[in-house]
Amino acid sequence: SSGGMITGLTSYDLEQYIAYRTSGLRRQFCDDDTNPEMQVSAEEIRQRYEADKSHLYIMEDSLTLHYIEIYSGQESAGLEADVRLLQQNVRSGSSMQEAVKAMPHLQEYYQELTLDGEAYASYARAYADLLAFSSDLQTGDISEVICEGGWIYLIECVQRIDHDYQPLEDVYAVVK
């Protein structure tokens, strides 16, 4: 109000954001003597949902991944070359599931993971690297051979179903 510079945080964590939104709502509704019961219209709820959906109401994709995961400490010198050969075979039109059958020494490292979008958060920590490496893969894509953090990965995205945002109907009470 005095025309001076106002300083503050340049970024917020989720807890700070929620406190900010709560205080804004309190000012908006509690300080409004014309709305003592703090009623929120359906239009206000829809507007709030639209404003917040890109960062609060994202529904994770459902995924089916086939992948090779090898810890580098497991005499992996020759295995990395074999994983690159497997990658070439998959890129030539074979599925990883079929291509790994022709390479029996890689079969023990082959795994499959199917995640429903609603269960994604439950597995995010356990499969953090795998999900991060596969985040840009679409159905039918095969990753590059990834050598990181002592691990070797090759990931095939068998299916990705994009779920977009949680529908307003499902989160209406939360937004309200």
Side-chain angles (χ1 to χ4, degrees), residues 65-132:
L65 303 173
H66 293 179
Y67 63 98
I68 297 289
E69 179 181 54
I70 303 171
Y71 180 63
S72 294
Q74 299 173 343
E75 300 179 18
S76 63
L79 291 177
E80 183 179 341
D82 291 338
V83 172
R84 291 188 188 286
L85 180 60
L86 177 65
Q87 178 193 38
Q88 290 174 0
N89 293 340
V90 174
R91 286 193 170 155
S92 297
S94 183
S95 71
M96 185 181 294
Q97 187 176 41
E98 289 299 316
V100 80
K101 288 178 183 175
M103 304 178 89
H105 58 291
L106 290 181
Q107 288 180 0
E108 69 181 285
Y109 307 109
Y110 172 77
Q111 298 178 57
E112 298 178 4
L113 176 66
T114 299
L115 286 180
D116 179 49
E118 293 178 6
Y120 190 97
S122 301
Y123 292 90
R125 183 172 280 169
Y127 294 99
D129 289 342
L130 180 67
L131 295 174

Side-chain angles (χ1 to χ4, degrees), residues 59-63 115-117 120 160-164:
M59 188 170 177
E60 296 293 346
D61 296 346
S62 294
L63 291 171
L115 286 180
D116 179 49
Y120 190 97
R160 177 180 292 272
I161 300 171
D162 181 9
H163 289 300
D164 202 31

